[in-house]
């Protein structure tokens, strides 16, 4: 997400290897583009010393790439919560996300409306602030609809206020516990009928922080005007990565043409046949090499991984059907790598693989220990699990 013309679509293309329109003007993206990106982990095949052939993901040289859904939403402008620009469309699309990747122009070469200006003249910190505030104001506007009437009715029915707000925010998948915790954290203890709009804005901000964590992709980090802003951004303590989306996109295109060997997230690449490259291609690859030397990566893969594993606290689990050959029913070795929330149980995994497995769950087998484990057994990262159920599916 982010304002227009900061490289959101380029980031999306680089992350998904997709092709959506990219142009140097606001509102290139006028509706949400949904694509498949991948998070990167060390595959357990390297630990076990076996060759795998995944079905739902891919393994290259012992690196497992696991699919996730990525949504590229319309650019945001100040006043979006009241419908300005494509605000309502943006916010409606963004509500689907578990983590918000805020792509900013850290080189400060775009104004608040997303129009191109001289590099260094913009203010990326204003962009960070206004996007967060727009989201907070949008949440508050949903809560505020007929607020006093709803509060009176809930008091008469002796309903908890967190239940009322949760119902209002059901489209955001925000539960009562999260709202209750948010209220406690901001010290909102007075009666709901006494809450002011400022109270509701503060609550909305806390709900957003807890339910829609934001990681910043500091795009165009290779430009000279970015250096000062990157230092300032680090001082804020916000989670971010310097990114150069154009460099990642160039690397993927070159790798797809077999001009180079490159795996997303690598700190280097290898030119296949230098004599086949034009001077223009060599110059472009040299520019990318400088980016990798300076930052250690293009930042795109790092943003995705941080969002998944640090902010959402996901782990990777490998379900199999044959506990000896580590295969599915078709003989595929380590066919599936599943992302599950930390503290997930064996039965949670069963339901994720198939509803029938969850409903008919008997027990599971931890492949490493060969031990039976029960429904409430908490899974660990890189567990390899066989599920046994009454359905006949395994």
């Amino acid at each position: 997400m982010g304002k227009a013309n900061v490289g959101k679509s380029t980031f999306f293309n680089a992350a998904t290897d997709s092709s959506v329109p990219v142009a140097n003007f606001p509102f290139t993206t006028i509706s949400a583009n949904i694509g498949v990106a991948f998070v990167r982990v060390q595959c357990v095949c390297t630990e076990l010393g076996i060759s795998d052939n995944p079905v739902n993901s891919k393994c290259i040289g012992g690196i497992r790439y696991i699919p996730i859904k990525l949504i590229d939403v319309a650019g945001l402008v100040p006043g979006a919560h009241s419908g300005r620009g494509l605000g309502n469309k943006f916010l409606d699309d963004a509500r689907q996300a578990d983590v918000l990747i805020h792509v900013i122009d850290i080189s400060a070469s775009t104004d608040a409306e997303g129009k191109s200006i001289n590099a260094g003249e913009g203010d990326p910190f204003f962009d960070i602030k206004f996007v967060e505030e727009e989201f907070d104001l949008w949440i508050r506007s949903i809560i505020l609809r007929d607020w006093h009437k709803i509060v009176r009715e809930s008091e008469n029915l002796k309903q908890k206020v967190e239940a009322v707000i949760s119902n209002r925010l059901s489209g955001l998948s925000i539960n009562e516990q999260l709202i209750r915790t948010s209220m406690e954290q901001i010290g909102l203890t007075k009666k709901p009928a006494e809450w002011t709009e400022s109270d509701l804005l503060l609550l909305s901000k806390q709900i957003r922080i807890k339910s829609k964590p934001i990681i910043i992709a500091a795009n165009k980090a290779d430009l000279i005007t970015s250096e000062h802003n990157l230092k300032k951004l680090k001082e804020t303590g916000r989670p971010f990565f310097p990114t150069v989306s154009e460099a990642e996109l160039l690397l993927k295109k070159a790798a797809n043409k077999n001009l180079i060997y490159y795996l997303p997230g690598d700190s280097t690449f290898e030119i296949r046949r230098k004599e086949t490259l034009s001077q223009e291609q060599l110059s472009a690859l040299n520019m990318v090499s400088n980016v990798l030397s300076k930052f250690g990566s293009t930042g795109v893969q790092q943003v995705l991984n941080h969002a998944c594993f640090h902010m959402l606290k996901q782990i990777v689990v490998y379900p199999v059907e044959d506990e000896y050959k580590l295969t599915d029913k078709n003989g595929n070795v380590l066919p599936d790598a599943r992302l599950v929330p930390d503290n997930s149980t064996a039965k949670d995994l069963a339901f994720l693989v198939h509803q029938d497995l969850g409903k008919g769950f008997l027990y599971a087998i931890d492949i490493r220990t060969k031990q039976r484990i029960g429904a409430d057994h908490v899974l660990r990262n890189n567990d390899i699990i066989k599920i046994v159920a009454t359905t006949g599916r395994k």
Side-chain angles (χ1 to χ4, degrees), residues 172-186:
L172 290 163
S173 300
I174 295 173
N175 59 40
E176 293 181 34
Q177 180 58 51
L178 187 147
I179 295 168
R180 188 181 306 115
T181 302
S182 298
M183 290 166 56
E184 292 171 354
Q185 289 176 336
I186 65 171

Side-chain angles (χ1 to χ4, degrees), residues 17 52 60 163-164 173 180 199 210 323 342 345 368 379:
D17 202 17
D52 58 359
I60 308 172
V164 175
S173 300
R180 188 181 306 115
D199 292 328
K210 294 185 68 64
E323 64 264 48
D342 194 16
T345 65
R368 284 191 176 82
L379 301 174

Side-chain angles (χ1 to χ4, degrees), residues 83-365:
R84 186 165 180 264
L86 295 171
N88 289 334
K89 178 63 175 170
F90 161 86
L91 294 163
D92 189 55
D93 290 330
R95 70 178 174 78
Q96 305 172 53
D98 296 316
V99 171
L100 302 174
I101 299 173
H102 185 184
V103 182
I104 67 169
D105 176 5
I106 199 65
S107 72
S109 55
T110 47
D111 66 14
E113 303 288 332
K115 297 174 183 176
S116 294
I117 55 176
N118 293 328
E121 291 184 357
D123 184 357
F125 299 96
F126 169 80
D127 298 341
I128 294 170
K129 183 180 178 182
F130 101 73
V131 165
E132 292 177 352
E133 288 180 347
E134 287 296 333
F135 217 102
D136 299 342
L137 289 166
W138 179 63
I139 292 175
R140 188 184 68 171
S141 71
I142 297 173
I143 299 173
L144 268 175
R145 293 171 193 162
D146 298 323
W147 171 249
H148 293 294
K149 177 183 176 182
I150 290 171
V151 166
R152 287 195 303 272
E153 291 176 351
S154 65
E155 287 178 347
N156 292 334
L157 296 173
K158 296 183 179 181
Q159 292 178 319
K160 294 181 179 179
V161 67
E162 54 264 40
V164 175
I165 296 175
S166 176
N167 184 56
R168 272 296 172 91
L169 300 178
S170 59
L172 290 163
S173 300
I174 295 173
N175 59 40
E176 293 181 34
Q177 180 58 51
L178 187 147
I179 295 168
R180 188 181 306 115
T181 302
S182 298
M183 290 166 56
E184 292 171 354
Q185 289 176 336
I186 65 171
L188 190 55
T189 58
K190 56 187 176 182
K191 293 181 178 180
E194 299 173 359
W195 292 2
T196 65
E197 290 194 9
S198 296
D199 292 328
L200 284 170
L201 183 58
L202 191 60
L203 177 60
S204 297
K205 179 178 181 179
Q206 191 63 26
I207 290 172
R208 187 260 304 163
I209 290 171
K210 294 185 68 64
S211 66
K212 303 291 179 184
I214 295 175
I215 181 171
I216 296 171
N219 203 34
K220 307 181 185 179
D222 56 322
L223 300 184
I224 190 65
T225 53
S226 299
E227 293 184 8
H228 174 67
N229 289 328
L230 284 170
K231 290 178 182 177
K232 286 181 61 179
L233 184 55
K234 187 175 182 180
E235 292 171 0
T236 68
R238 298 171 186 270
F240 81 96
F241 286 90
T243 60
V244 187
S245 302
E246 287 187 352
E248 180 71 17
L249 192 57
L250 188 152
L251 285 169
K252 284 193 172 178
K253 287 182 176 179
N256 288 340
K257 294 179 180 178
N258 206 33
L259 300 176
I260 64 171
Y261 180 79
Y262 170 73
L263 295 180
D266 276 358
S267 58
T268 59
F269 62 89
E270 178 185 338
I271 296 177
R272 298 279 193 187
R273 296 188 305 278
K274 190 172 183 179
E275 66 276 5
T276 64
L277 299 178
S278 67
Q279 189 57 48
E280 184 180 7
Q281 288 172 320
L282 287 171
S283 296
L285 288 172
N286 183 60
M287 178 275 291
V288 173
S289 182
N290 291 335
V291 168
L292 297 179
S293 296
K294 183 174 183 178
F295 298 110
S297 73
T298 66
V300 174
Q301 188 66 57
Q302 283 64 28
V303 167
L304 297 175
N305 269 43
H306 188 86
C308 180
F309 298 117
H310 293 273
M311 303 184 83
L312 290 180
K313 301 188 185 306
Q314 302 271 299
I315 61 172
V316 182
V317 181
Y318 298 80
V320 297
E321 297 192 36
D322 188 315
E323 64 264 48
Y324 303 104
K325 297 180 180 179
L326 307 186
T327 60
D328 61 13
K329 63 182 180 182
N330 297 316
N332 298 301
V333 179
L334 294 174
D336 203 359
R338 293 280 181 161
L339 293 169
V340 299
D342 194 16
N343 292 320
S344 292
T345 65
K347 193 167 185 178
D348 292 333
L349 176 64
F351 272 111
L352 182 64
V353 173
H354 196 281
Q355 284 292 311
D356 290 343
L357 280 180
K359 293 175 181 177
F361 182 93
L362 294 175
Y363 61 90
I365 299 174

Side-chain angles (χ1 to χ4, degrees), residues 68-88:
I68 57 172
K69 184 167 76 171
L70 196 65
I71 304 173
D72 176 30
V73 299
L76 199 63
V77 296
H81 73 280
S82 59
R84 186 165 180 264
L86 295 171
N88 289 334

